[in-house]
Amino acid sequence: MCLGLGLMLAGIVVGGAYLYRYFVFQEGEVFFCGVDYREEDYMPRYRTLKENIRILPDSDVELISVPVPEFADGDPADIVHDFHIRLTAYLDLVLNKCYVIPLNTSVVMPPRNFLELIINIKAGTYLPQSYLIHEQMIVTDRIENVDQLGFFISRLCRGKDTFKLQRREFPDGIQKREAAECHKIRHFENNFVVETTICEQ
């Protein structure tokens, strides 16, 4: 009798988890987007960045998947912007490490606005030729318990080495080049492309 009860409870838990997952993750439409952006270096040139984007407006969350870049401009990554808990998480797929930082609302467009931008791009009413901005992050503390990071980020980072990030500020826009181990992720969640450089201290 105990075995039968145990199997029945296990069936309910697994079935409930499947239904919950289905309704949560089928909420938003997945968009495959590309944006042309101008890269200013020695010779200005245009590049294209492609992403898979899923916006869950009712949860106030953006889920972004950056595939392997065409021009080796950075690492492939999965990104979660959770406006409800005001955190961003980057999962660098090359390193298999997760990085968490407070959400930067001056760079990341809110989900409903971002969805409207994507719909306008898809409809052809807005065809951006964008530009590239840079931000640099420093890895600080290790996060031992990812369950405190909300449902979406904990799901992304569970089982991965997870660290906090701190934004590095440079006076007068000057960026120092240091001999640190750094990895870049290029992504967009606005009408411009962001190159996030993550460096070990």
Side-chain angles (χ1 to χ4, degrees), residues 125-139:
T125 56
Y126 180 70
L127 299 172
Q129 284 200 336
S130 193
Y131 54 94
L132 178 69
I133 67 166
H134 301 268
E135 62 179 4
Q136 193 170 92
M137 312 293 184
I138 300 297
V139 176

Side-chain angles (χ1 to χ4, degrees), residues 159-182:
K160 314 281 190 303
D161 290 338
T162 303
F163 302 90
K164 290 182 184 176
L165 291 177
Q166 179 180 341
R167 206 164 262 103
R168 180 182 275 183
E169 304 295 337
F170 296 99
D172 303 323
I174 297 171
Q175 294 192 17
K176 288 193 267 182
R177 295 185 184 265
E178 295 182 6
E181 184 180 336
C182 300

Side-chain angles (χ1 to χ4, degrees), residues 63-76:
L63 307 170
I64 297 169
S65 179
V66 181
V68 177
E70 293 177 11
F71 296 100
D73 293 318
D75 291 351

Side-chain angles (χ1 to χ4, degrees), residues 98-115:
C98 227
Y99 302 97
V100 180
I101 191 164
L103 180 66
N104 184 354
T105 55
S106 64
V107 170
V108 182
M109 194 177 276
R112 292 184 194 283
N113 299 47
F114 191 34
L115 181 60

Side-chain angles (χ1 to χ4, degrees), residues 36-105:
D36 292 332
Y37 63 95
R38 186 179 173 97
E39 184 174 30
E40 297 286 342
D41 52 13
Y42 301 109
M43 290 183 56
R45 59 190 170 201
Y46 280 98
R47 295 274 176 95
T48 300
L49 176 69
K50 296 176 181 173
E51 299 182 334
N52 291 315
I53 301 168
R54 183 175 217 171
I55 298 175
L56 307 173
D58 293 340
S59 302
D60 232 8
V61 169
E62 299 168 4
L63 307 170
I64 297 169
S65 179
V66 181
V68 177
E70 293 177 11
F71 296 100
D73 293 318
D75 291 351
D78 289 334
I79 303 167
V80 173
H81 299 296
D82 191 329
F83 279 74
H84 181 67
I85 60 170
R86 305 191 65 74
L87 289 175
T88 290
Y90 302 94
L91 172 58
D92 186 310
L93 297 172
V94 170
L95 302 176
N96 200 33
K97 291 182 181 177
C98 227
Y99 302 97
V100 180
I101 191 164
L103 180 66
N104 184 354
T105 55

